[in-house]
Amino acid sequence: MNTADLQSNLLVRMALMAWDAQNNQFKKVINSLLDDQLMKEISPGRNSGVYLLGHLIAVSDAMLPLLGWGDRLYPELEGLFITTPDKSGQSMPSVKELKEKLKTVNDALAIHIQAATVEEWLSKHNSVSTEDFAKEPHRNKLNVVVSRTNHMANHIGQLLLLS
Amino acid sequence: MNTADLQSNLLVRMALMAWDAQNNQFKKVINSLLDDQLMKEISPGRNSGVYLLGHLIAVSDAMLPLLGWGDRLYPELEGLFITTPDKSGQSMPSVKELKEKLKTVNDALAIHIQAATVEEWLSKHNSVSTEDFAKEPHRNKLNVVVSRTNHMANHIGQLLLLS
């Protein structure tokens, strides 16, 4: 492998390490909280911990089709945790069930993440057109991971307020 | 430029775009809040908005020496916003003054960020030893930016609770 190839590999790995770091931090925060704490709002009148847990699972699950890696595992979470705000009167899965779904989604993503080459990471994701991608090559699969990493960091900062 | 060089350039640019996106979001949130709102706590008993504003400026300022780009511009912010928690009885700069410092720090960083080559980004930062860096080449200058991007996203999630 030449120097530039080594550089590309390292740069991809750094983005994936950042994704893993946030996912590990997310699990750590979730597992440090009692179910009762997770049911509370992060700040008066704001989202509950369990809503943010479900929201982050649903967003990760939606990465599967976006990255061309198959269908979502739990499409029903979109209505509960993405398109509908917290406290809309819908019944939510239990914390235990959500934690299991989190693990299943993360395991499914990890298989594809580990297998992807630099070329795949730099190929277009499924919500950008071929024409737009030709002009904006940063709208690739790895950038979905980068953007979801920051989104997760956003909500981890909020979940930390429950502890 | 060959394909692998183009890939490395694109990958570096993606990390820098993520940094810029968080910085723009940070400024947007800060500027959307009245000074009175910024003085409030993000959640009862937690950090105030103004403390988080100062904290993020101090952390960005400390990137200058860490990345080998010169001394911090406002070393006095470390004691106020990094090593000391909020509500320690120290007098803080005003919101107006902090916003000016934020701009000055960001402008200083931007000059170096725009000038840095892929090789510089992948070189070691100043808080890792040459020996450790040889074993862990991801501990480079760009990774400081990636990690600070996620740190900023963390606190932006909290600042959003003030609006």
Side-chain angles (χ1 to χ4, degrees):
Chain A
M1 218 185 261
N2 65 31
T3 309
D5 280 327
L6 283 170
Q7 286 179 341
S8 304
N9 268 283
L10 175 60
L11 287 160
V12 167
R13 199 155 58 83
M14 283 161 56
L16 299 178
M17 287 170 88
W19 165 253
D20 282 343
Q22 290 305 313
N23 272 279
N24 289 334
Q25 176 70 2
F26 176 40
K27 277 182 276 183
K28 198 176 144 190
V29 176
I30 291 297
N31 290 329
S32 74
L33 297 167
L34 301 170
D35 289 11
D36 278 1
Q37 287 176 298
L38 271 171
M39 301 311 288
K40 291 194 179 137
E41 295 172 337
I42 49 165
S43 184
R46 302 302 177 124
N47 288 324
S48 62
V50 70
Y51 181 84
L52 289 180
L53 169 58
H55 176 67
L56 286 172
I57 299 167
V59 168
S60 286
D61 196 20
M63 289 168 71
L64 288 167
L66 188 53
L67 298 177
W69 295 341
D71 294 332
R72 280 175 299 176
L73 302 176
Y74 307 110
E76 69 277 14
L77 297 185
E78 182 178 356
L80 284 171
F81 297 112
I82 297 184
T83 53
T84 312
D86 197 7
K87 292 161 270 185
S88 302
Q90 297 175 90
S91 71
M92 282 186 196
S94 68
V95 169
K96 183 170 176 289
E97 203 180 324
L98 286 172
K99 283 183 181 177
E100 286 162 7
K101 288 184 182 354
L102 173 64
K103 183 172 169 13
T104 308
V105 168
N106 279 345
D107 289 350
L109 280 171
I111 290 170
H112 295 283
I113 286 174
Q114 282 157 19
T117 60
V118 171
E119 280 64 35
E120 176 169 3
W121 283 119
L122 294 180
S123 66
K124 83 176 203 61
H125 60 67
N126 284 337
S127 71
V128 59
S129 70
T130 308
E131 296 71 42
D132 287 346
F133 183 63
K135 284 176 277 182
E136 301 178 304
H138 69 274
R139 296 174 71 180
N140 52 49
K141 293 189 180 186
L142 191 66
N143 221 35
V144 170
V145 173
V146 171
S147 132
R148 296 303 179 275
T149 302
N150 288 315
H151 172 255
M152 189 176 287
N154 233 269
H155 290 306
I156 289 172
Q158 299 175 333
L159 286 164
L160 285 169
L161 302 174
L162 294 171
S163 60
Chain B
M1 217 185 265
N2 66 32
T3 308
D5 280 328
L6 283 170
Q7 287 179 340
S8 302
N9 269 284
L10 175 61
L11 287 160
V12 167
R13 199 155 57 85
M14 284 161 56
L16 299 179
M17 287 170 88
W19 166 253
D20 281 344
Q22 290 305 312
N23 272 279
N24 288 335
Q25 177 69 2
F26 176 41
K27 276 181 278 184
K28 197 176 144 189
V29 176
I30 291 297
N31 290 330
S32 74
L33 297 166
L34 301 170
D35 288 11
D36 278 1
Q37 288 176 297
L38 271 171
M39 301 311 288
K40 289 195 179 136
E41 296 172 337
I42 49 165
S43 184
R46 302 302 177 123
N47 288 324
S48 62
V50 70
Y51 180 84
L52 290 179
L53 168 59
H55 176 68
L56 286 172
I57 300 167
V59 168
S60 286
D61 195 21
M63 289 168 71
L64 289 167
L66 188 54
L67 299 177
W69 296 341
D71 294 333
R72 282 177 297 177
L73 302 176
Y74 306 111
E76 70 278 12
L77 297 184
E78 182 177 357
L80 284 172
F81 297 112
I82 297 184
T83 54
T84 313
D86 196 8
K87 293 161 270 187
S88 301
Q90 298 175 90
S91 71
M92 284 187 195
S94 67
V95 169
K96 182 169 177 287
E97 202 180 326
L98 286 172
K99 283 183 181 177
E100 286 163 5
K101 288 184 180 357
L102 173 63
K103 182 170 169 16
T104 308
V105 168
N106 279 345
D107 288 350
L109 281 171
I111 290 170
H112 295 283
I113 286 173
Q114 283 159 18
T117 61
V118 171
E119 280 62 35
E120 175 169 4
W121 283 119
L122 294 180
S123 66
K124 83 176 204 61
H125 60 67
N126 284 338
S127 72
V128 58
S129 70
T130 309
E131 297 71 42
D132 287 346
F133 183 64
K135 285 175 279 183
E136 301 179 304
H138 68 275
R139 298 174 70 179
N140 53 49
K141 293 188 180 187
L142 191 66
N143 220 34
V144 171
V145 173
V146 171
S147 132
R148 295 304 179 274
T149 302
N150 288 315
H151 172 256
M152 190 177 286
N154 233 269
H155 289 305
I156 289 173
Q158 299 174 333
L159 286 165
L160 285 168
L161 302 174
L162 294 171
S163 60

